[in-house]
Amino acid sequence: MNATDARRELFALVRRAEKDGLTTLIHKHGERVVLAPLDRLPAARKADAFPSHALSAAQKDFGELVTLAAQGRPQVLRRSSTPIAVLLPADATSGSPSSETAAPPSAVLAGGAVTSSNDQDRRSVPRRLASLGDAIGAVLAAGPETGPTFGLSGLDAATGGLQSGRLTLVAAAPNVGGSLLGLATARRTALVDNRRVLYAASGPNQADIMRRIISAETGGDYPRLKQGRLTPDEQQVARELAHAPLMIDDGSELTAEAIAETAPYVEDLALVVVDRLQAAHNARLPLSGDRLPNASQALAGLARALRVPVLAIVDSADPALLKLLDADVLLTLAPADDPGIVQVTIAERDFGVIGTACLTPDLLHARFLDTPAATHAAGAGSEEPARGSGSAVERELAEAALPYTSGARQGLPASLTHELAALRSTLASGDRAALDELAAPLAEAAATSPRLPDTAEGQRLAAALHAYAMAAGRPASAQHAETGGPAVSGNTRAESEREADAEAEVEVEVEGEVELQPGDEQDEPEGAPFPALKLLKDAVGRSKMHPIKVIRGEEREGGPWPLISEHMDGEPRWVHPDVTSTRVPYDRPNGKRVRRDQLDVPDTFGDGVLCLIDRNGSYPSACSAVPLAPNKLLHTGPLEEFDRAGAGIYLIDIPQWSRTDMPHPLGRITDRPDDAGRVWVTTPHIKQLARLVRDGHLPAMPAIHDSWTGKANESLFKPFYEAARTARADLIQTGGEPYKAYKTRLSIALRLLWPKRQEQKSPFWRPDWRMSMVAEASVRHWTVAFKAVQEGHRLIALRNVDAAVFWTPPGTAPDTYRIGTGFGEVKAKFIQPGQMIPEGDD
């Protein structure tokens, strides 16, 4: 065969030489060599007798080795350190080795085999030809193809599963779920079919893979599993999976050649999964950047050599890149018009597109689900069963909620998200009893009229929640005006309770936070108690770095801006795992019913009371030294280490946090990882992690896989902070309307850093500034609480950026906090265990 084909088939040819003693003629532009067994050159078994090459290196440089061998310089091929075959000149005139080392190859047979030195008759052996009848007989005798499948009926029907000897590439942009498709195939093959899988992980590590498997198999929330919190059932599943035939290689310097060298030693190998090929270059990841075409070629050769399917994931859907990778089968994942659906396009090298399939992403549980052929319309009170168990109303609610429970869309309260995710998992399991148990809390959540995004998805979910509440006999009150959802009139006490629940979901608000209104972007009038916006504009304008206050509209759809979300605040929203938190009704003095927390502390905590800590001015305090990039953020890509001279956003692995007496340092950021288990964070959280590593609370800094940064400045907002601190000291003594106006204008100014609605005018549009400021407040809040825990105080809840609850002796606040009314100081209240936590005041 020619050298190109031989290079592709090198592993198979070497195996034929090693095990069967067969020799292959290889030609390249007039150069002729033979790939022969070692008995053709016994001296090749001696160390350093001839140049030798590992198989992976030989495949990479095969053309050069053919030239050297044709010139009379034998090239030894080895597996690890063991010689297994040799490249020799095919023609006696090309300068073969002397008779002292080996008999030279003297003739080449027509079938590609070379005669031994003792075979002098030079008989021509014809190539073996097979008739069509022979081929048909072989196919019929082999029976139906029983290769690995994805375990997703629609996709398996469209692809026919994975075929032996072929490289299948799954291409998907980040956050679409490509890695989860590779994981689905590995789970199906190893856990259901009990066949051996080699899972080569260049992106996630083995701990990430196992958590995703447990989450997908049990329906447990992946973010919770990442914190190491497994239920007894999940622990049992993990123990049962211990003997599954799934081999994981997440070692450093993982190359396609290393995978190809390892795979032949895996007995009864049925599938190789490579997760993943990274389009962006990363010096620490060999399977990235411009090395991908060669890696794809090596993986295709591995599939042919071992006659097993190889499934590789690439984190890009760029057609130009995919053409270079030249897979046998290409599966391209892309979001469909329905945000709860991912469409898979299947193409083969020789035929182009051969089919499509649709999948439903369930990112909360690290998996894909089959998509129903048609979505059932939800009708109030209808009990007609839909796909699987559950009524049409239940099924429609689960489908309508999918964009939010999967993580593709944001904007739901956390409690409602968890209830809806539980509904979807329960429907998938077909457990009617579990559905009945879920009905009461879900109906209550559906009847609370939560704030929903003003989008098509939000409106569909509002209608589904309304239908569910009606079917459960709990009519919902008027929906928030932004949703456009159905409204039900009434002024009953139950409706007041539902309003209370809706209000309770807006717990991200801290002291004085208000919604923006038209006209808020105007400077305060002369004589205002506190001209917050004017002071903030002056502080930014005073900087010698010439900050960019507004990112132009045409730039907001690209670059770093779509990567920034509210979840980057890192708010903890945490309750001690041994403490029970319950929402209870509370009547305000004005007669309005709201909901507040009630914390039940176990007897094992001993005697004590709840000490409620309320930090003063968390957001303006953060402005004293928040690290920001005043100018444009530039794409700085992967970083070897955090550069303190820069500020911006960073894509990192979520560090492991094993403590149960404190929430994760990244707070709710950990709830929304991407397919590779990574999250985007701002500079305050990067600096926080660096401090924790320095102090020995974390073993190492997480890798920075991508970044958008600019030159850092920590004093941009400091003049604003100084003015706010001085005004607070004066106005808090005055109280009344002037102090309320101060808090309102302070909140408006900081919210105008990132107005969410397109129609809201503002002198600013810097999401990175806003989220860095909020993240700095979260970091400070967490850090002070951690210091108290380190000194022996027991934390039982940490919420938002200003609220903490400790278990203390009566009248004794943790001595790590400063009691007072100034910025950075706190108020402390004490209530008996089991009592409702009152609403905060100033």
Side-chain angles (χ1 to χ4, degrees):
M1 59 179 63
N2 63 47
T4 300
D5 292 338
R7 175 182 182 177
R8 187 183 305 113
E9 304 286 347
L10 183 61
F11 285 77
L13 299 180
V14 167
R15 175 175 291 186
R16 291 172 58 195
E18 181 185 15
K19 294 187 176 182
D20 303 324
L22 297 180
T23 306
T24 306
L25 170 66
I26 301 168
H27 56 87
K28 186 189 86 169
H29 305 307
E31 299 171 338
R32 290 156 55 85
V33 301
V34 288
L35 178 62
L38 287 177
D39 61 2
R40 293 295 306 278
L41 188 61
R45 302 183 192 277
K46 300 177 183 180
D48 302 323
F50 298 98
S52 66
H53 314 270
L55 276 180
S56 57
Q59 188 175 48
K60 180 179 179 182
D61 301 324
F62 192 69
E64 181 180 353
L65 299 187
V66 167
T67 297
L68 292 172
Q71 294 170 355
R73 290 181 277 181
Q75 305 294 313
V76 178
L77 307 183
R78 54 182 167 79
R79 181 179 292 114
S80 296
S81 60
T82 305
I84 53 177
V86 62
L87 282 170
L88 297 169
D91 301 316
T93 58
S94 62
S96 58
S98 70
S99 59
E100 295 178 359
T101 58
S106 57
V108 180
L109 301 184
V114 177
T115 65
S116 69
S117 59
N118 296 324
D119 186 4
Q120 301 296 329
D121 59 318
R122 303 181 181 224
R123 289 172 299 171
S124 176
V125 178
R127 299 185 66 87
R128 295 185 60 186
L129 304 178
S131 69
L132 180 59
D134 293 335
I136 292 174
V139 171
L140 294 177
E145 180 73 34
T146 57
T149 63
F150 296 95
L152 298 159
S153 59
L155 186 57
D156 288 332
T159 61
L162 298 172
Q163 281 77 48
S164 297
R166 308 184 80 183
L167 170 63
T168 298
L169 199 65
V170 175
N175 303 321
V176 176
S179 290
L180 297 186
L181 202 54
L183 190 68
T185 314
R187 284 171 42 224
R188 174 74 182 193
T189 305
L191 307 185
V192 179
D193 300 336
N194 198 34
R195 302 174 68 186
R196 197 167 300 279
V197 176
L198 171 59
Y199 200 103
S202 176
N205 58 39
Q206 58 181 284
D208 294 328
I209 294 166
M210 293 314 299
R211 290 191 191 97
R212 294 178 189 183
I213 289 175
I214 294 171
S215 177
E217 291 295 308
T218 65
D221 291 359
Y222 178 60
R224 171 174 55 77
L225 295 179
K226 291 187 66 175
Q227 300 172 11
R229 294 158 46 202
L230 277 69
T231 67
D233 288 341
E234 290 162 351
Q235 294 175 11
Q236 178 61 32
V237 169
R239 286 189 287 268
E240 293 172 355
L241 295 178
H243 302 292
L246 178 61
M247 317 299 292
I248 300 174
D249 183 353
D250 66 347
S252 60
E253 295 301 316
L254 183 64
T255 64
E257 292 77 11
I259 297 168
E261 285 186 346
T262 302
Y265 293 96
V266 180
E267 294 184 2
D268 301 321
L269 183 63
L271 171 68
V272 177
V273 176
V274 182
D275 183 9
R276 56 188 165 74
L277 310 179
Q278 180 172 299
H281 173 72
N282 186 327
R284 291 174 295 183
L285 294 178
L287 294 178
S288 69
D290 57 7
R291 289 172 285 190
L292 294 190
N294 286 339
S296 177
Q297 187 178 54
L299 294 175
L302 170 63
R304 288 168 176 76
L306 298 186
R307 300 301 301 165
V308 298
V310 175
L311 179 69
I313 317 300
V314 60
D315 66 348
S316 172
D318 181 5
L321 172 62
L322 300 181
K323 185 176 181 180
L324 290 175
L325 301 188
D326 192 28
D328 297 304
V329 180
L330 176 63
L331 276 60
T332 306
L333 278 63
D337 293 337
D338 183 336
I341 300 296
V342 168
Q343 180 167 305
V344 186
T345 303
I346 302 102
E348 290 194 6
R349 179 193 286 118
D350 297 330
F351 298 99
V353 176
I354 61 172
T356 60
C358 289
L359 300 174
T360 297
D362 183 10
L363 302 187
L364 185 65
H365 303 123
R367 62 190 178 187
F368 279 110
L369 302 174
D370 277 312
T371 299
T375 302
H376 292 274
S382 171
E383 293 299 325
E384 179 186 355
R387 178 175 60 89
S389 63
S391 67
V393 173
E394 291 167 330
R395 181 61 61 184
E396 167 61 15
L397 179 56
E399 296 295 337
L402 181 61
Y404 303 97
T405 58
S406 68
R409 296 289 185 272
Q410 301 175 12
L412 291 193
S415 59
L416 180 58
T417 302
H418 285 301
E419 296 287 359
L420 292 170
L423 171 65
R424 186 167 193 87
S425 298
T426 307
L427 285 169
S429 68
D431 190 340
R432 185 66 249 179
L435 279 173
D436 293 339
E437 291 179 6
L438 186 63
L442 189 56
E444 182 177 357
T448 60
S449 301
R451 291 171 180 251
L452 299 175
D454 187 16
T455 61
E457 297 95 330
Q459 292 172 6
R460 180 185 176 187
L461 181 55
L465 284 168
H466 172 67
Y468 188 92
M470 293 294 292
R474 302 185 62 163
S477 58
Q479 298 290 321
H480 189 271
E482 293 182 7
T483 67
V488 178
S489 61
N491 193 23
T492 63
R493 184 173 183 83
E495 183 173 296
S496 297
E497 293 186 11
R498 291 193 294 273
E499 290 177 356
D501 282 341
E503 178 182 330
E505 299 299 352
V506 196
E507 290 196 12
V508 294
E509 310 295 342
V510 295
E511 179 185 3
E513 286 280 284
V514 296
E515 292 290 341
L516 294 178
Q517 302 294 331
D520 284 342
E521 72 280 0
Q522 301 296 326
D523 286 352
E524 296 81 1
E526 291 293 332
F530 183 62
L533 182 57
K534 184 177 185 302
L535 289 168
L536 184 60
K537 290 164 58 179
D538 289 346
V540 173
R542 193 183 305 176
S543 172
K544 296 181 180 179
M545 297 184 71
H546 307 291
I548 300 174
K549 294 186 291 184
V550 177
I551 301 300
R552 293 183 301 179
E554 59 269 25
E555 297 179 359
R556 298 177 188 179
E557 297 302 318
W561 312 115
L563 303 173
I564 300 174
S565 73
E566 289 282 2
H567 279 72
M568 293 170 73
D569 56 20
E571 293 181 1
R573 304 188 182 183
W574 175 85
V575 175
H576 192 287
D578 296 331
V579 173
T580 301
S581 177
T582 309
R583 304 293 291 174
V584 296
Y586 167 69
D587 291 322
R588 285 178 170 174
N590 62 7
K592 186 173 183 180
R593 168 158 286 205
V594 295
R595 293 258 176 176
R596 291 289 175 258
D597 285 331
Q598 177 178 296
L599 299 178
D600 295 315
V601 179
D603 294 339
T604 55
F605 279 34
D607 295 334
V609 296
L610 301 179
C611 175
L612 315 181
I613 297 294
D614 184 11
R615 285 171 53 83
N616 299 320
S618 293
Y619 287 171
S621 291
C623 293
S624 62
V626 55
L628 304 172
N631 303 114
K632 190 173 183 178
L633 296 183
L634 301 178
H635 190 211
T636 42
L639 301 178
E640 292 294 334
E641 60 181 10
F642 168 57
D643 181 4
R644 292 183 175 275
I649 62 173
Y650 309 82
L651 180 64
I652 64 170
D653 296 315
I654 299 177
Q656 298 300 312
W657 183 254
S658 58
R659 299 185 67 131
T660 59
D661 56 355
M662 279 291 298
H664 195 286
L666 297 183
R668 69 169 181 160
I669 295 175
T670 62
D671 294 343
R672 300 290 178 90
D674 65 11
D675 292 349
R678 301 165 180 170
V679 291
W680 285 95
V681 300
T682 55
T683 311
H685 278 107
I686 285 282
K687 297 181 69 174
Q688 177 195 31
L689 296 178
R691 287 192 296 268
L692 291 172
V693 171
R694 180 195 63 198
D695 296 340
H697 303 299
L698 288 175
M701 278 293 288
I704 300 176
H705 300 284
D706 200 0
S707 63
W708 290 79
T709 62
K711 186 177 171 112
N713 180 294
E714 292 191 355
S715 60
L716 188 64
F717 291 167
K718 190 168 184 179
F720 173 79
Y721 157 76
E722 297 286 1
R725 185 181 64 173
T726 301
R728 179 187 174 95
D730 295 336
L731 292 171
I732 199 170
Q733 303 300 325
T734 305
E737 291 302 321
Y739 182 59
K740 289 182 180 179
Y742 159 83
K743 292 200 300 178
T744 299
R745 293 307 304 181
L746 187 66
S747 174
I748 288 173
L750 295 177
R751 279 187 174 273
L752 283 170
L753 290 172
W754 185 17
K756 301 300 178 54
R757 300 191 183 108
Q758 293 289 342
E759 65 273 14
Q760 176 67 56
K761 296 180 180 179
S762 173
F764 300 99
W765 197 89
R766 286 300 297 257
D768 55 324
W769 291 1
R770 166 72 186 184
M771 296 320 301
S772 294
M773 181 269 296
V774 180
E776 178 70 19
S778 293
V779 167
R780 296 186 182 193
H781 181 41
W782 188 97
T783 301
V784 177
F786 188 38
K787 183 178 179 182
V789 170
Q790 288 179 285
E791 298 200 4
H793 300 285
R794 175 163 275 173
L795 179 69
I796 64 173
L798 196 66
R799 310 294 286 273
N800 306 329
V801 297
D802 57 358
V805 183
F806 287 86
W807 185 248
T808 67
T812 306
D815 53 11
T816 54
Y817 287 91
R818 291 180 298 147
I819 307 298
T821 60
F823 284 165
E825 297 178 332
V826 303
K827 300 179 288 289
K829 297 179 183 179
F830 300 90
I831 65 171
Q832 293 300 315
Q835 290 185 351
M836 175 270 304
I837 296 179
E839 58 184 320
D841 57 30
D842 203 5

